[in-house]
């Protein structure tokens, strides 16, 4: 029997997602979602990322740190199945796992060596403050398997139609001009995937989520989603 080995945190994630609600359920669903992997000593040496700039995508191993207090589960209810059917945790990507480890493929947009080592990544599904465990290059020649099947996850999903009230659209335009963040596009990509829990998808209600330092309020009715307001947090 092999004894348990301690895993060291190599850094932390600085992400546009500051709360679980609204964070994409998979990487790549929201291409505009950007984050930085901030490596810490002694793992922030420039030579440790030498050659990584030649890759377009990377694997990111991380810890579901906000799920640990909830404990792990043997079965879960995937949102793709409407939250009505239980599936074994090993057959899902649920964060409620015995070791609470996550794995995502993200686009590598750049490497910043001005303050230690920071990797700029896109298409993320990772919360701000997430502990980082490992980084590996994505290899299309071996990591992409043409004959792979998707099991229960193959069920089709109808994206929501997203529009903005005039004041919300204006806020997004001004925010982008000030920060360079494509907020309008980011919100659109997140909401079209319908981040609501499966149990609430039959409701007509108003919801809110935080992105960067902005509180976004939106309403869903049927297949239509309307962004009601965007306000900068104090």
């Amino acid at each position: 029997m092999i004894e348990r080995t301690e895993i060291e945190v190599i850094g932390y994630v600085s992400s546009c997602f500051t709360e679980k609600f609204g964070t994409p359920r998979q990487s790549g669903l929201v291409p505009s979602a950007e984050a930085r992997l901030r490596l810490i000593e002694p793992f922030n040496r420039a030579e440790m990322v030498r050659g990584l700039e030649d890759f377009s995508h990377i694997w990111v191993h991380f810890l579901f740190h906000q799920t640990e207090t909830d404990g792990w589960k043997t079965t879960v209810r995937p949102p793709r199945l409407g939250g009505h059917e239980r599936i074994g945790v090993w057959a899902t990507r649920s964060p409620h796992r015995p070791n609470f480890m996550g794995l995502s493929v993200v686009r590598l947009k750049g490497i910043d060596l001005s303050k230690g080592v920071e990797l700029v990544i896109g298409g993320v599904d990772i919360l701000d403050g997430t502990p980082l465990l490992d980084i590996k290059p994505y290899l299309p020649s071996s990591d992409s398997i043409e004959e792979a099947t998707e099991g229960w996850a193959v069920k089709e999903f109808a994206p929501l139609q997203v529009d903005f009230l005039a004041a919300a659209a204006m806020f997004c335009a001004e925010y982008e001009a000030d920060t360079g963040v494509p907020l309008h596009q980011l919100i659109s990509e997140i909401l079209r995937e319908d981040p609501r829990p499966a149990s609430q998808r039959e409701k007509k209600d108003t919801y809110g989520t935080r992105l960067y330092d902005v509180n976004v309020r939106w309403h869903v009715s049927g297949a239509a989603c309307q962004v009601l307001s965007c306000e900068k947090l104090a």
Side-chain angles (χ1 to χ4, degrees):
M1 182 176 180
I2 300 175
E3 293 184 3
R4 188 179 182 91
T5 302
E6 288 293 328
I7 296 177
E8 291 193 68
V9 172
I10 65 169
Y12 294 90
V13 180
S14 178
S15 171
C16 59
F17 300 112
T18 60
E19 58 185 14
K20 287 188 286 185
F21 184 58
T23 302
R25 295 183 175 92
Q26 302 291 338
S27 59
L29 294 178
V30 181
S32 299
E34 190 171 289
R36 283 180 173 252
L37 308 182
R38 304 183 187 276
L39 303 183
I40 60 176
E41 294 184 354
F43 312 109
N44 61 347
R45 300 170 65 94
E47 61 263 33
M48 296 184 73
V49 294
R50 185 181 300 150
L52 191 61
E53 70 277 2
D54 296 330
F55 294 87
S56 64
H57 292 74
I58 57 175
W59 290 102
V60 178
H61 301 250
F62 57 92
L63 186 68
F64 289 115
H65 65 300
Q66 291 197 11
T67 308
E68 288 183 282
T69 54
D70 297 335
W72 64 278
K73 301 176 181 178
T74 58
T75 62
V76 295
R77 301 177 187 269
R80 182 66 66 89
L81 297 179
H84 305 302
E85 185 177 347
R86 283 198 170 275
I87 300 292
V89 68
W90 296 140
T92 75
R93 296 189 176 187
S94 166
H96 298 283
R97 324 184 71 78
N99 287 312
F100 306 99
M101 292 177 65
L103 175 65
S104 293
V105 174
V106 296
R107 176 174 291 279
L108 179 60
K109 303 181 73 173
I111 301 177
D112 184 357
L113 301 179
S114 62
K115 298 178 181 178
V117 176
E118 295 184 2
L119 307 184
V120 183
I121 58 175
V124 302
D125 59 343
I126 310 174
L127 276 172
D128 187 61
T130 292
L132 180 63
L133 302 178
D134 200 6
I135 299 165
K136 294 183 178 74
Y138 176 86
L139 306 177
S141 58
S142 60
D143 294 346
S144 179
I145 304 173
E146 291 185 5
E147 65 270 25
T149 60
E150 294 187 45
W152 59 265
V154 75
K155 185 176 181 180
E156 293 186 4
F157 168 76
L160 295 178
Q161 179 65 42
V162 182
D163 62 44
F164 289 67
L165 291 183
M170 182 177 296
F171 178 96
C172 290
E174 294 173 350
Y175 191 87
E176 181 167 358
D178 290 340
T179 65
V181 173
L183 187 61
H184 189 285
Q185 183 176 346
L186 177 61
I187 294 171
S188 298
E189 291 173 356
I190 292 170
L191 297 188
R192 75 185 180 193
E193 295 294 329
D194 196 352
R196 296 175 298 168
S199 61
Q200 297 184 25
R201 290 189 175 176
E202 300 302 321
K203 298 180 180 179
K204 298 179 181 180
D205 209 345
T206 299
Y207 301 85
T209 190
R210 296 192 312 175
L211 299 171
Y212 293 110
D213 57 349
V214 177
N215 186 47
V216 182
R217 292 180 64 254
W218 41 284
H219 175 79
V220 179
S221 179
C225 174
Q226 187 174 59
V227 180
L228 304 175
S229 66
C230 298
E231 298 178 348
K232 198 162 185 177
L233 297 169

